[in-house]
Amino acid sequence: MKTLALSSWKLGYSENVNALPAETVDAWVPSDVQLVWQKEKGMPDYNYGRNYKEYTWMEKKFWVYSTDVEVPAGDLHAELYFESIDYRYVIRVDGKDVCEGEGMFTPARVDLDPWQGKKIRVDVVIYPVPHVESAEGEDRVHASHSVKPAVSYGWDWHPHLVPSGISDKAELRVYPSSYIYDAAFSYELSDALDKVTVKAEAVVKNPAGAELLLSLVDKEGKTAASVKAPADEKTALSVTLEHPELWHPVRRGAQTRYDVKVTLLKNADAIDEKGRIIGFRRVKLLKNKMAEEESFPKPQLPNPITLEINGQRIFGKGTNYVPNEIFYSRMTRERYAAVLEKARDANMNILRVWGGGLTNREDFFDLCDEMGLMVWQEFPLACNNYPDEEHYLSVLNQESISIIKRLRTHPSLTLWCGGNELFNSWSGMTNQSLALRLLDMNCLLHDPHTPFMMTSPNCGMAHGNYATMSGEDREAVSDFIDRDYTAYTEFGSPSPAPFDYIQKFCPPDELYQVSVDNCWLDHHALRAWGEKNWFNMAHIEAYFGKADTLEETIEHGLVAQAVSYKGIFETARRKWPDTSMAINWCFNEPWPCFANNSLLLYPDLPRPAYYAVKEALRDTMFSAKLYKFRWHTGEKAEIELYVLNDPAETLPEGTVKVILEVEGKETVLYEGSYAAVAGGKVEKIGACAFDVTEDLPKTFSLRVEGSDPGMNSTYKLFHV
Amino acid sequence: MKTLALSSWKLGYSENVNALPAETVDAWVPSDVQLVWQKEKGMPDYNYGRNYKEYTWMEKKFWVYSTDVEVPAGDLHAELYFESIDYRYVIRVDGKDVCEGEGMFTPARVDLDPWQGKKIRVDVVIYPVPHVESAEGEDRVHASHSVKPAVSYGWDWHPHLVPSGISDKAELRVYPSSYIYDAAFSYELSDALDKVTVKAEAVVKNPAGAELLLSLVDKEGKTAASVKAPADEKTALSVTLEHPELWHPVRRGAQTRYDVKVTLLKNADAIDEKGRIIGFRRVKLLKNKMAEEESFPKPQLPNPITLEINGQRIFGKGTNYVPNEIFYSRMTRERYAAVLEKARDANMNILRVWGGGLTNREDFFDLCDEMGLMVWQEFPLACNNYPDEEHYLSVLNQESISIIKRLRTHPSLTLWCGGNELFNSWSGMTNQSLALRLLDMNCLLHDPHTPFMMTSPNCGMAHGNYATMSGEDREAVSDFIDRDYTAYTEFGSPSPAPFDYIQKFCPPDELYQVSVDNCWLDHHALRAWGEKNWFNMAHIEAYFGKADTLEETIEHGLVAQAVSYKGIFETARRKWPDTSMAINWCFNEPWPCFANNSLLLYPDLPRPAYYAVKEALRDTMFSAKLYKFRWHTGEKAEIELYVLNDPAETLPEGTVKVILEVEGKETVLYEGSYAAVAGGKVEKIGACAFDVTEDLPKTFSLRVEGSDPGMNSTYKLFHV
């Protein structure tokens, strides 16, 4: 197969599906129509101020991408191939409809053989973005009847701005007359993990006299296993490899992958080939320890949410990955990498790719495979009641099968999930919803050995809170200490963005006016979630008291966020194996939020909380259990001391000290030693306390230091 | 098609699959081998004493049913047809294997055309009952790798006695040369319930030149709708009927059904036909009211468990139906009817057919259709961890598809469920178990509009307790008053069987010796569930004190059971619509239990509790809320007065009195009137109280009487 990128695109819009655009501009592909129009019309940066509002009219239009294609002629097959068109479209050749489709996750393919040797005009007409006529407003409900990421319609950290376009590569493909139309790969690992059977299902056109070769090639380029068979229109091949190298999550072993491919042979010549990278791992979702305890009467025990990878139980330390851009065509490999590297470097091992967003491109999964980051992938359903309707279900069926077949060879793909908070009251779906039963079925049919769950939270798990303080004098961390959930798959601590960051995106006259009447509202500082979030002044002042300037308040907010996140992550880890996951909301953001729960600022700039979380997620470390970080005079602060040892290996014995540091003066509260800690264990190794006296300053700190300095931990404390 | 029952069967056993039986006896079909051997060998009644133990050796043998068949010859097709062979089998013709199979829910069919005009010998060899080599004991774990009802291996009310046999009809079928091999029917109701599309998928052999007629015939024998099309090897037909009469649950409207059939026509002559009875209803499983209330953090809300039938929400009042015989061939229409009529007459509307037992024969569902009893049907999985193994899953796949396709036209079939208590600790399955995902998939593919849930209890629901007393001085009913579950799909109150009933099945020398050393143990009076159940002496004495004789203790036990059941059923009903189901454990029993939670004694004799439950489940009634029925001197008994009005119709206003009756003397505690009560509502209409004084006798009673005497309720109270 040869591919030729299509170029010299023109773009325009019209008011109905058959009208020609009144005006066209030069365009490129992949692109979103908003980005093309922005560039060609000199529109202002949508990330700045309230400029994004100037783009929303585009969502109501029919957009037409056009180009000319010279179709080759001969003993060949020519095809137009679109990896992704967002969202509903019709493709025309010389004005005649040749393909209609809906859904950005299934490629569009047009047979060009009728036009061999001719120059043709190709028009791709994209319908206005999905909109539910009966629904009010412009929010996520308009995504409820389509397989379109709901986040684009507006979220508490995303403006209403809905992409549209030819959002991935568009090619002219030229095949020999016999060729591989499609090839799907999967594998089965033996129970003992010592044998893998790799399967290919190939669809071959004009197979007469041809053979198919399935081969598995290791990282040195050596063929590890192969099998050959006569080609048929549908050919199933399988080959077994003894003792395959497995893929392991980060810091648990190598991230080995192989190349797998099918080659079409005619007279021993390779005339066509399709392949992909593949990695082998076994994932099981096991019951948590607390799911073994029964009460009377007997209700359902919590659903399983402990990851076992290649036989090892692993605490899921991670974060919610949200779209890293508003527009899909901007999600390049480089941009993915910048965010993902920071997740890996923060000692995380899992990303929940939340159902409000999209299923990312191949580059995202290639990078996660390489880095050993496990991916919890949700289908594009979130916070809506997706209906039991035939049309919606048929598109969801098509799109989910495309997604599953594409991702199932990526070893990083660890968990399928129907979507976000679908069983909660604001969504209203249940385990009876046909959309969720359909997704379970498609995962079972096409990727049976990867776990599937209908939604998060599921029985036993929890989402929330999203605050440093859960009451006037109570910190969120205290709630987490008192709670018993199997997994925290969303929890957040908000803060404003740094002042100099906000300055880049806020008009100067609004900069010091934190108000719902200006762009502080649009950039989610206020009324994003309730009246006073995400720039929650009262919660910041609960730690630091009133500040003199906005800059100082923001500095305080950034510190409080870091303290809260560190405390909650460590609390969840100390509860292992009752609790098996801590996944904060959220890691990144798609545009500059003036306040948010994220650890990174758009596009990938760490907040102070990022470094605090990185410290809280070290594989092997000391953790001090403090019921709270804010203390009143007269209270006694009790401290329990733990060793967290995530790796499979035993941690050797050592010594440890707890030091209270007040204005440079150190008091040793505890000094002791601890025994060796087995792999995958949490052990309490000591306890101490101090009295909160009147003379303590507003902030002071607690340090845990040991014979292995890499395990040391520091806690900022507040006297209020 | 003509059918000829196969007769003149012989039965014998051997030690391996190829050996001939050393001895054969006359047999019949349908039968279980144990029943044949019993009759021919004069074995004693397995229901008496410990005689059942004499039957267990049969489970280890290979059983061979044999008969001779004269295969007709001509322009026809001849087939051997077995509706159900239990469990694993091989069929031989003249000593040659012609069919192998596993599973009692899928018919076995053998093409006899190679033997046209010959007399052949047919052997059906049945393997020993499923047994898991690696497991110890003889209990239910041996059913964990097969689709065999687990109850047969022993339960707390069922001896270990595992059926085996040709458990349903065996026929020689003679078809014309063109014939309908198979026909499956289904239907789709419109959203407004005003239109039904009935679909048939027919497999026709030698269809050339033939036509297929799909017709729907109403109860007067009039063709309501029909369609004709040329017959093909696979033909899909559908016909639409406007304004169909719907099927309704008992006391909610008529139980209308139709006949649906496909007829094979050749030159306008009907040459073959297949059909069944069909009824139309819409079932939805909706969220309960309490599933709308959110807490923080957000866990999963309870799963839906409120039934909506044809647009009306219905409280599920019912019971757990368990196998009504140990042996399948004894489950005749008459025996089903005797039990089912009693459920209907007890004002019940739903039966949970528990996963430890089997999927009943057609007669059971025909009767439930006729009587308007809704059926919650579980697949045959219970209290085991059914494995993710290829062989097990392939049999489960085959059996579940057979079950679903057979039952989906029965309007009484209301809810599919994967099985019993599979998410609880003693089972160990989860929502990741492939068996449960497979069942969900098959229900979605073959009966998408009937709800499916993986197991009971599901999130929000509860099983238990199974006791009149939950503490030394605390009644179970008080627990139910304090609880907030969406549905109670198992709860029990045990009692001994009446003395004269036990006498029939207990050897005289053991009758007064309630001991674990004799048949009181085998008949579940002791150590059935814990040490002291189901003849729980302490719990009986908690109400009545010590009795002088066994007969008196039993009488007391029967009364305490009735009091407890009535109280719990009414408690659950008063919590509507937060609680939406009350389904007690259990209705019937498969053999004579000397003590049990059942409302009927084997085979279908009502206990006193049956009448108490019947009273507690009247559609429209008064219910007095009492926190308990046992009172101590000095306490104040508070009473809240409710009207329960299940029907859709408004209940007119009326008057009501509460009367305390002590040794024939009546005191009016309350006198008042109540306003009209809307359909489907529970209303509190008043409250009163009385002081528990020293002079009260050991038992006394409370009566609620009103202007509508059909609503009157009486409560037995105890002074302890």
Side-chain angles (χ1 to χ4, degrees):
Chain A
M1 180 186 82
K2 275 178 247 162
T3 62
L4 292 137
L6 301 177
S7 58
S8 307
W9 289 97
K10 294 281 183 185
L11 177 68
Y13 66 85
S14 67
E15 302 299 328
N16 70 64
V17 71
N18 291 313
L20 290 176
E23 178 195 0
T24 63
V25 300
D26 288 341
W28 64 92
V29 164
S31 65
D32 298 87
V33 300
Q34 289 93 337
L35 298 180
V36 173
W37 215 250
Q38 176 188 37
K39 175 158 182 277
E40 294 300 320
K41 294 291 181 180
M43 290 175 68
D45 180 9
Y46 54 81
N47 285 326
Y48 186 89
R50 289 180 151 177
N51 291 342
Y52 72 97
K53 288 177 183 279
E54 294 180 32
Y55 289 75
T56 50
W57 62 270
M58 302 186 195
E59 297 166 12
K60 313 278 185 205
K61 306 301 180 190
F62 290 81
W63 288 89
V64 187
Y65 282 88
S66 306
T67 189
D68 293 332
V69 178
E70 301 216 22
V71 184
D75 187 19
L76 54 80
H77 169 65
E79 179 186 84
L80 273 182
Y81 181 92
F82 296 90
E83 184 79 24
S84 169
I85 304 176
D86 176 27
Y87 171 76
R88 184 178 165 200
Y89 56 89
V90 53
I91 303 173
R92 296 192 176 124
V93 170
D94 291 342
K96 190 183 139 211
D97 291 3
V98 292
C99 174
E100 281 188 286
E102 181 174 342
M104 62 184 288
F105 300 108
T106 304
R109 300 173 74 168
V110 179
D111 178 358
L112 291 186
D113 287 345
W115 293 277
Q116 280 204 10
K118 297 197 178 129
K119 182 170 176 177
I120 57 170
R121 176 178 170 98
V122 173
D123 296 309
V124 178
V125 184
I126 300 175
Y127 282 70
V129 305
H131 189 85
V132 176
E133 285 309 323
S134 57
E136 289 178 12
E138 292 298 330
D139 72 359
R140 66 187 186 227
V141 68
H142 292 288
S144 66
H145 288 56
S146 68
V147 189
K148 173 91 181 158
V151 72
S152 309
Y153 290 81
W155 222 264
D156 55 75
W157 42 272
H158 192 301
H160 176 100
L161 208 44
V162 188
S164 209
I166 300 177
S167 49
D168 208 329
K169 65 184 175 192
E171 299 171 340
L172 171 67
R173 291 183 164 187
V174 183
Y175 301 89
S177 60
S178 293
Y179 65 99
I180 303 168
Y181 180 79
D182 197 21
F185 301 95
S186 62
Y187 68 90
E188 295 258 354
L189 268 174
S190 65
D191 285 348
L193 303 177
D194 57 356
K195 200 156 72 175
V196 68
T197 302
V198 176
K199 301 175 186 177
E201 287 179 0
V203 177
V204 178
K205 301 289 183 186
N206 306 318
E211 286 181 303
L212 266 178
L213 173 71
L214 167 63
S215 48
L216 193 64
V217 179
D218 69 16
K219 55 196 165 184
E220 278 90 35
K222 212 179 76 191
T223 299
S226 67
V227 65
K228 203 155 64 175
D232 208 339
E233 290 193 3
K234 284 189 180 184
T235 310
L237 294 162
S238 74
V239 68
T240 296
L241 175 65
E242 305 278 342
H243 305 293
E245 281 191 43
L246 301 180
W247 177 95
H248 298 278
V250 57
R251 300 182 305 277
R252 287 280 177 161
Q255 284 73 53
T256 306
R257 294 187 295 162
Y258 293 80
D259 288 309
V260 61
K261 60 186 176 185
V262 285
T263 310
L264 190 67
L265 302 166
K266 215 153 191 176
N267 306 321
D269 291 338
I271 58 169
D272 198 12
E273 185 177 295
K274 276 199 161 44
R276 52 194 294 115
I277 297 174
I278 194 168
F280 311 122
R281 88 289 178 266
R282 185 179 67 200
V283 185
K284 291 187 179 179
L285 207 54
L286 304 179
K287 292 212 276 189
N288 290 36
K289 194 175 152 238
M290 71 168 79
E292 291 157 14
E293 286 154 28
E294 302 268 355
S295 58
F296 227 106
K298 309 289 187 184
Q300 180 190 334
L301 289 175
N303 285 333
I305 193 67
T306 295
L307 287 169
E308 187 205 77
I309 311 289
N310 303 333
Q312 286 187 18
R313 289 182 183 232
I314 294 182
F315 188 97
K317 304 184 288 195
T319 192
N320 278 276
Y321 180 97
V322 301
N324 64 328
E325 286 284 354
I326 289 170
F327 294 108
Y328 306 144
S329 64
R330 287 204 158 173
M331 296 178 188
T332 60
R333 186 174 181 96
E334 294 66 34
R335 297 295 327 288
Y336 281 140
V339 176
L340 293 174
E341 280 163 6
K342 288 190 179 66
R344 179 200 55 197
D345 293 347
N347 298 309
M348 294 174 169
N349 60 21
I350 190 166
L351 304 174
R352 174 174 175 242
V353 183
W354 169 78
L358 77 166
T359 306
N360 287 297
R361 294 158 196 285
E362 282 297 282
D363 283 326
F364 177 89
F365 291 93
D366 277 342
L367 289 162
C368 289
D369 289 349
E370 273 179 34
M371 295 183 195
L373 290 168
M374 296 182 284
V375 177
W376 162 335
Q377 180 64 51
E378 303 199 346
F379 290 95
L381 294 84
C383 297
N384 274 319
N385 193 341
Y386 295 84
D388 291 352
E389 279 183 12
E390 201 175 331
H391 177 74
Y392 169 68
L393 293 172
S394 72
V395 179
L396 182 66
N397 188 51
Q398 160 206 296
E399 294 287 88
S400 60
I401 292 172
S402 295
I403 290 170
I404 298 163
K405 287 188 161 184
R406 172 162 76 85
L407 298 190
R408 68 183 174 186
T409 54
H410 285 288
S412 57
L413 196 285
T414 297
L415 175 59
W416 294 109
C417 178
N420 180 65
E421 293 172 2
L422 301 173
F423 288 169
N424 291 85
S425 62
W426 52 92
S427 298
M429 296 181 84
T430 73
N431 60 357
Q432 301 306 311
S433 297
L434 295 186
L436 299 177
R437 296 181 64 192
L438 176 78
L439 292 173
D440 193 354
M441 174 177 85
N442 282 339
C443 287
L444 181 66
L445 287 172
H446 301 293
D447 191 21
H449 301 301
T450 300
F452 170 86
M453 56 188 226
M454 283 193 171
T455 190
S456 178
N458 218 304
C459 183
M461 301 160 52
H463 281 193
N465 307 2
Y466 308 89
T468 54
M469 299 292 293
S470 70
E472 208 177 313
D473 190 34
R474 184 175 170 86
E475 290 172 79
V477 69
S478 308
D479 292 345
F480 283 85
I481 285 174
D482 291 342
R483 278 174 194 154
D484 280 312
Y485 288 95
T486 51
Y488 298 94
T489 50
E490 283 193 12
F491 60 92
S493 295
S495 86
F499 184 80
D500 56 352
Y501 180 85
I502 294 171
Q503 209 165 12
K504 289 184 209 153
F505 302 100
C506 185
D509 59 330
E510 297 181 359
L511 187 55
Y512 285 97
Q513 311 300 323
V514 183
S515 157
V516 296
D517 297 322
N518 61 30
C519 77
W520 285 87
L521 176 82
D522 303 80
H523 289 259
H524 319 294
L526 299 169
R527 287 194 195 157
W529 195 69
E531 190 67 22
K532 295 179 173 180
N533 284 312
W534 297 115
F535 191 165
N536 194 314
M537 205 73 79
H539 288 184
I540 297 171
E541 289 172 357
Y543 286 86
F544 285 95
K546 265 207 181 342
D548 296 326
T549 63
L550 179 62
E551 288 89 331
E552 197 186 354
T553 306
I554 287 175
E555 280 308 308
H556 289 171
L558 289 162
V559 173
Q561 179 186 43
V563 165
S564 182
Y565 263 134
K566 177 170 158 65
I568 297 169
F569 266 114
E570 288 190 21
T571 299
R573 291 187 66 191
R574 287 192 306 264
K575 295 197 181 209
W576 168 260
D578 280 332
T579 298
S580 61
M581 280 195 197
I583 294 182
N584 84 294
W585 184 269
C586 54
F587 193 51
N588 56 323
E589 56 186 24
W591 84 320
C593 295
F594 290 0
N596 196 4
N597 294 281
S598 69
L599 300 176
L600 301 185
L601 305 160
Y602 172 81
D604 51 46
L605 308 170
R607 277 181 154 91
Y610 170 84
Y611 298 102
V613 170
K614 177 176 175 167
E615 188 181 309
L617 294 184
R618 284 168 296 158
D619 278 2
T620 299
M621 62 180 282
F622 297 118
S623 175
K625 177 179 167 189
L626 283 144
Y627 192 70
K628 53 187 191 169
F629 300 112
R630 297 166 63 257
W631 296 94
H632 298 286
T633 300
E635 290 180 324
K636 186 183 184 114
E638 301 197 341
I639 300 155
E640 291 179 15
L641 205 57
Y642 288 81
V643 168
L644 312 180
N645 185 34
D646 276 3
E649 294 75 33
T650 298
L651 178 77
E653 59 185 12
T655 59
V656 64
K657 264 197 274 196
V658 179
I659 300 157
L660 195 67
E661 185 185 329
V662 179
E663 292 175 335
K665 195 180 142 239
E666 297 185 352
T667 312
V668 175
L669 299 180
Y670 177 88
E671 210 165 349
S673 61
Y674 57 89
V677 177
K681 291 283 180 196
V682 170
E683 298 283 358
K684 186 177 163 190
I685 57 164
C688 56
F690 66 89
D691 292 315
V692 182
T693 50
E694 201 176 350
D695 57 330
L696 275 173
K698 279 190 162 182
T699 64
F700 55 107
S701 62
L702 189 83
R703 287 171 14 219
V704 185
E705 296 184 355
S707 43
D708 177 354
M711 291 171 60
N712 292 356
S713 289
T714 302
Y715 302 88
K716 197 168 191 92
L717 301 177
F718 301 84
H719 184 201
V720 294
Chain B
M1 178 187 79
K2 276 178 248 163
T3 62
L4 293 137
L6 301 178
S7 57
S8 309
W9 289 97
K10 294 281 183 185
L11 177 68
Y13 65 86
S14 67
E15 302 299 329
N16 70 62
V17 70
N18 291 313
L20 291 176
E23 176 196 0
T24 63
V25 299
D26 288 342
W28 64 92
V29 163
S31 65
D32 298 86
V33 299
Q34 289 92 338
L35 299 181
V36 173
W37 217 249
Q38 175 187 39
K39 177 159 181 277
E40 295 300 320
K41 296 290 181 180
M43 291 174 69
D45 181 9
Y46 54 81
N47 286 325
Y48 186 89
R50 288 179 153 178
N51 291 342
Y52 72 97
K53 288 177 183 281
E54 294 182 31
Y55 289 76
T56 50
W57 62 270
M58 302 187 195
E59 298 166 11
K60 313 279 186 203
K61 306 300 179 191
F62 289 82
W63 289 89
V64 187
Y65 282 88
S66 305
T67 189
D68 293 331
V69 178
E70 301 216 24
V71 184
D75 186 19
L76 55 79
H77 169 66
E79 178 186 84
L80 273 182
Y81 181 91
F82 297 89
E83 183 80 23
S84 170
I85 305 176
D86 177 26
Y87 171 78
R88 184 179 163 199
Y89 56 88
V90 53
I91 303 173
R92 297 193 175 122
V93 170
D94 291 341
K96 189 184 139 211
D97 292 4
V98 292
C99 174
E100 280 188 287
E102 180 174 344
M104 61 184 289
F105 300 109
T106 304
R109 301 173 73 168
V110 179
D111 178 357
L112 291 186
D113 287 346
W115 294 277
Q116 280 204 10
K118 299 198 176 125
K119 183 171 175 176
I120 57 170
R121 174 177 171 100
V122 173
D123 295 310
V124 178
V125 184
I126 299 176
Y127 282 71
V129 305
H131 189 84
V132 176
E133 286 309 322
S134 58
E136 290 177 12
E138 292 297 328
D139 72 357
R140 67 185 184 228
V141 68
H142 293 288
S144 66
H145 288 56
S146 68
V147 189
K148 174 90 181 157
V151 72
S152 310
Y153 290 80
W155 222 265
D156 57 75
W157 42 272
H158 192 301
H160 176 102
L161 209 43
V162 188
S164 208
I166 300 178
S167 50
D168 208 329
K169 66 184 175 192
E171 300 171 338
L172 172 67
R173 291 185 163 185
V174 183
Y175 302 87
S177 59
S178 293
Y179 65 98
I180 303 168
Y181 180 80
D182 196 22
F185 302 94
S186 62
Y187 67 90
E188 295 259 353
L189 268 173
S190 65
D191 285 348
L193 303 177
D194 58 355
K195 201 157 71 175
V196 68
T197 302
V198 176
K199 300 174 186 178
E201 285 179 0
V203 178
V204 177
K205 301 287 183 185
N206 305 318
E211 285 181 304
L212 267 179
L213 173 71
L214 167 64
S215 49
L216 194 63
V217 178
D218 68 17
K219 56 196 166 186
E220 278 90 34
K222 213 179 76 192
T223 299
S226 68
V227 66
K228 204 157 61 173
D232 208 338
E233 292 195 359
K234 284 189 180 187
T235 311
L237 293 162
S238 75
V239 68
T240 297
L241 174 65
E242 305 279 342
H243 305 294
E245 279 191 45
L246 300 180
W247 178 95
H248 298 278
V250 57
R251 300 181 306 278
R252 288 281 176 161
Q255 283 74 52
T256 305
R257 295 187 295 162
Y258 293 80
D259 288 309
V260 61
K261 60 186 176 187
V262 284
T263 310
L264 190 67
L265 304 166
K266 215 152 191 176
N267 305 322
D269 290 339
I271 58 168
D272 198 13
E273 184 176 294
K274 274 199 161 49
R276 53 194 293 114
I277 296 173
I278 193 168
F280 311 121
R281 88 290 178 265
R282 185 179 66 200
V283 184
K284 291 187 180 178
L285 207 54
L286 303 179
K287 292 211 276 189
N288 291 34
K289 193 172 152 241
M290 70 169 80
E292 292 157 13
E293 284 153 29
E294 302 269 354
S295 58
F296 226 107
K298 310 290 186 183
Q300 181 191 333
L301 290 175
N303 284 333
I305 194 67
T306 296
L307 288 168
E308 188 205 79
I309 311 289
N310 303 334
Q312 284 187 19
R313 287 182 185 233
I314 295 182
F315 188 95
K317 301 185 289 196
T319 193
N320 279 276
Y321 180 97
V322 301
N324 63 327
E325 287 284 354
I326 288 170
F327 294 108
Y328 305 146
S329 64
R330 288 202 154 174
M331 297 179 187
T332 59
R333 186 176 183 93
E334 294 65 37
R335 297 293 329 286
Y336 282 141
V339 176
L340 294 173
E341 280 163 7
K342 289 191 180 66
R344 179 201 54 198
D345 293 347
N347 298 310
M348 294 174 168
N349 59 22
I350 189 167
L351 303 174
R352 174 174 174 242
V353 183
W354 169 77
L358 76 167
T359 305
N360 287 296
R361 294 159 196 283
E362 282 298 282
D363 283 328
F364 177 90
F365 291 93
D366 277 343
L367 288 163
C368 289
D369 289 349
E370 271 179 37
M371 295 184 196
L373 289 168
M374 297 182 283
V375 178
W376 161 336
Q377 180 64 50
E378 301 197 347
F379 289 95
L381 295 84
C383 296
N384 274 320
N385 193 342
Y386 295 84
D388 291 353
E389 280 183 13
E390 200 174 332
H391 177 73
Y392 169 68
L393 293 172
S394 72
V395 179
L396 182 66
N397 187 49
Q398 161 206 295
E399 294 287 88
S400 60
I401 291 172
S402 295
I403 290 170
I404 298 163
K405 286 188 161 183
R406 172 161 76 86
L407 298 190
R408 68 183 174 187
T409 55
H410 285 289
S412 57
L413 196 287
T414 297
L415 174 60
W416 294 110
C417 178
N420 181 64
E421 294 172 2
L422 301 173
F423 288 169
N424 291 85
S425 62
W426 53 91
S427 298
M429 296 181 83
T430 71
N431 61 356
Q432 301 306 313
S433 297
L434 295 185
L436 299 177
R437 296 181 63 191
L438 176 79
L439 292 173
D440 192 355
M441 176 177 84
N442 282 339
C443 287
L444 181 66
L445 287 172
H446 301 293
D447 192 21
H449 301 301
T450 301
F452 170 87
M453 57 189 224
M454 284 193 171
T455 190
S456 177
N458 218 306
C459 182
M461 301 159 53
H463 282 193
N465 305 8
Y466 308 89
T468 54
M469 299 292 294
S470 69
E472 209 178 313
D473 190 34
R474 185 174 170 85
E475 291 172 80
V477 69
S478 308
D479 292 345
F480 283 85
I481 284 174
D482 291 341
R483 279 174 193 154
D484 280 310
Y485 288 95
T486 51
Y488 298 94
T489 50
E490 283 192 14
F491 60 92
S493 297
S495 86
F499 184 81
D500 56 353
Y501 180 85
I502 293 171
Q503 208 164 13
K504 290 185 210 154
F505 303 99
C506 185
D509 59 330
E510 297 181 0
L511 188 55
Y512 285 96
Q513 311 300 324
V514 182
S515 159
V516 296
D517 297 323
N518 60 30
C519 77
W520 285 88
L521 175 82
D522 303 80
H523 289 259
H524 319 294
L526 299 169
R527 285 195 196 157
W529 194 69
E531 192 66 23
K532 298 180 172 178
N533 284 312
W534 296 114
F535 191 165
N536 195 314
M537 206 74 80
H539 288 184
I540 296 171
E541 290 172 357
Y543 286 87
F544 285 95
K546 268 210 179 340
D548 296 326
T549 63
L550 179 61
E551 289 89 331
E552 198 186 353
T553 305
I554 287 175
E555 280 307 308
H556 289 171
L558 290 162
V559 173
Q561 179 187 42
V563 165
S564 183
Y565 263 135
K566 177 170 158 65
I568 296 170
F569 266 114
E570 289 190 20
T571 299
R573 291 186 66 190
R574 287 193 304 265
K575 295 197 182 207
W576 167 261
D578 279 332
T579 298
S580 62
M581 282 194 194
I583 294 182
N584 84 293
W585 185 268
C586 53
F587 192 52
N588 55 323
E589 56 186 24
W591 84 320
C593 295
F594 291 179
N596 196 3
N597 294 280
S598 69
L599 300 177
L600 301 185
L601 305 159
Y602 173 81
D604 50 46
L605 309 170
R607 277 182 153 91
Y610 170 84
Y611 299 101
V613 169
K614 177 177 175 166
E615 188 181 310
L617 295 184
R618 286 168 294 160
D619 279 1
T620 300
M621 62 179 283
F622 298 117
S623 176
K625 178 178 168 188
L626 283 144
Y627 192 70
K628 52 186 191 169
F629 300 113
R630 296 166 65 256
W631 295 94
H632 298 285
T633 300
E635 290 180 325
K636 186 182 183 118
E638 300 197 342
I639 301 155
E640 291 178 17
L641 206 57
Y642 288 81
V643 168
L644 312 179
N645 186 35
D646 276 3
E649 295 75 33
T650 299
L651 177 77
E653 58 185 12
T655 59
V656 65
K657 263 197 275 197
V658 179
I659 300 157
L660 195 68
E661 184 184 330
V662 179
E663 293 175 334
K665 194 180 143 242
E666 296 184 353
T667 313
V668 175
L669 299 179
Y670 178 89
E671 211 166 348
S673 62
Y674 56 91
V677 178
K681 291 281 179 197
V682 169
E683 296 283 357
K684 185 176 165 190
I685 58 165
C688 55
F690 66 90
D691 292 316
V692 182
T693 51
E694 203 175 351
D695 57 331
L696 275 173
K698 278 191 163 181
T699 64
F700 55 107
S701 62
L702 189 84
R703 288 175 9 223
V704 186
E705 297 183 355
S707 43
D708 177 352
M711 292 170 60
N712 293 356
S713 289
T714 303
Y715 301 88
K716 196 166 191 92
L717 301 177
F718 302 83
H719 184 199
V720 293

